[in-house]
Amino acid sequence: MPTHSLKYRRAFVKLSGQALANGKDELYDSEMLDRIAEVLDKCRKAGVELCLMVGGGNIWRGNMGKTMDRTRADHMGMMATCMNALMLEDVLIRHGVPAVAMTAVDMPAFAEPFRQREAVAALEAGKIVIIGGGLGIPYFTTDTAAAVRAAEIEADIVLMAKNIDGIYSADPRKDPDAVKYETITYDKMLEMGLQVIDLSAAAFLRDNALSSYVFALKEPNNIYEVLTGKSIGTEVTK
Ligand code: UDP
């Protein structure tokens, strides 16, 4: 049993679809999925309630449907996130971790419908809850959906696992002088136009005084490090 003290009691974790592919030219990197499952179990055993929102970018994003009707393309994006939610549920259960996938758009033959009270009850019963389908409406991303669901389930923190290890003053791949922030406010982030978190998600999190933490998922154990208070990315506060 891990001995580190926990900084958070109930955490919301946003995983992008790309994280599940881990940069490979395949939909899923099974080794990465195993590592994510192991770390999530370690966090759960340490006593954190975990709710996950998964993206769909490894399969489809609405903005890929250039010639499509946007709403239809977003429907496909939401279905992609549901596939990822089923994949995560499957890998967790295979690892012996109690987990339940819930979808924003009802597909009862495949998963539980997302209902705030059922999600909270599952968390309190020690299950990891994985949400597919974002908010179930087009023109949104799973960053914003994560912010809204995190508020609904009264999470203490939203972990934004990204392909960058924090928020920088400029794009560090283009600007060698870019500096990484240990903490930043949503207002400053918005004012500087730093789009590591979607603007609509950032505004929602600010308005609801919900802190988030941006870090790199490349090493899945980073989830545990953040939950035990290690400073490895950028904390974003009101
Ligand atoms: N999406 C949507 N409504 C939502 C959440 C997601 O329409 O509430 C669609 C949208 O097309 C989005 C896609 O699902 O591009 C996949 O989500 P996202 O782009 O956030 O995935 P990620 O980049 O995190 O893998």
Side-chain angles (χ1 to χ4, degrees), residues 10-209:
R10 180 176 291 166
F12 200 102
V13 183
K14 156 69 207 284
L15 292 180
S16 69
Q18 292 296 353
L20 309 185
N22 193 26
K24 300 213 170 125
D25 197 15
E26 320 167 346
L27 292 189
Y28 301 107
D29 175 6
S30 59
E31 207 183 297
M32 183 64 164
L33 288 171
D34 286 339
R35 288 169 65 209
I36 291 173
E38 281 158 19
V39 171
L40 294 176
D41 193 33
K42 178 160 99 169
C43 299
R44 188 189 67 87
K45 285 183 172 148
V48 195
E49 292 175 6
L50 288 171
C51 189
L52 272 63
M53 168 75 60
V54 65
N58 55 323
I59 303 171
W60 182 265
R61 284 195 190 98
N63 61 11
M64 291 174 181
K66 302 271 181 246
T67 59
M68 288 183 74
D69 171 62
R70 176 62 194 263
T71 297
R72 213 60 181 145
D74 281 340
H75 289 162
M76 288 170 60
M78 287 184 262
M79 289 169 78
T81 71
C82 290
M83 279 179 64
N84 286 340
L86 296 188
M87 174 54 102
L88 278 174
E89 184 199 54
D90 183 80
V91 71
L92 284 166
I93 288 172
R94 243 183 316 113
H95 281 253
V97 187
V100 58
M102 295 188 172
T103 56
V105 175
D106 292 358
M107 38 179 82
F110 298 160
E112 302 282 330
F114 174 83
R115 303 281 180 265
Q116 180 236 16
R117 287 192 180 153
E118 271 81 359
V120 170
L123 292 171
E124 285 171 349
K127 289 187 187 173
I128 294 181
V129 174
I130 309 133
I131 303 175
L135 290 172
I137 43 176
Y139 291 95
F140 280 91
T141 65
T142 47
D143 272 14
T144 309
V148 175
R149 297 307 190 203
E152 282 189 72
I153 64 145
E154 297 184 6
D156 306 320
I157 185 82
V158 183
L159 269 58
M160 295 279 190
K162 298 280 175 183
N163 57 8
I164 185 162
D165 67 347
I167 299 181
Y168 287 76
S169 55
D171 186 344
R173 285 161 297 201
K174 292 181 193 148
D175 183 348
D177 296 328
V179 287
K180 184 170 142 185
Y181 297 108
E182 203 166 307
T183 60
I184 191 169
T185 62
Y186 291 111
D187 276 337
K188 181 148 191 223
M189 204 189 108
L190 290 165
E191 188 189 298
M192 292 177 73
L194 304 172
Q195 296 206 11
V196 180
I197 303 176
D198 284 6
L199 299 185
S200 55
F204 180 92
L205 291 164
R206 177 197 60 194
D207 294 349
N208 290 282

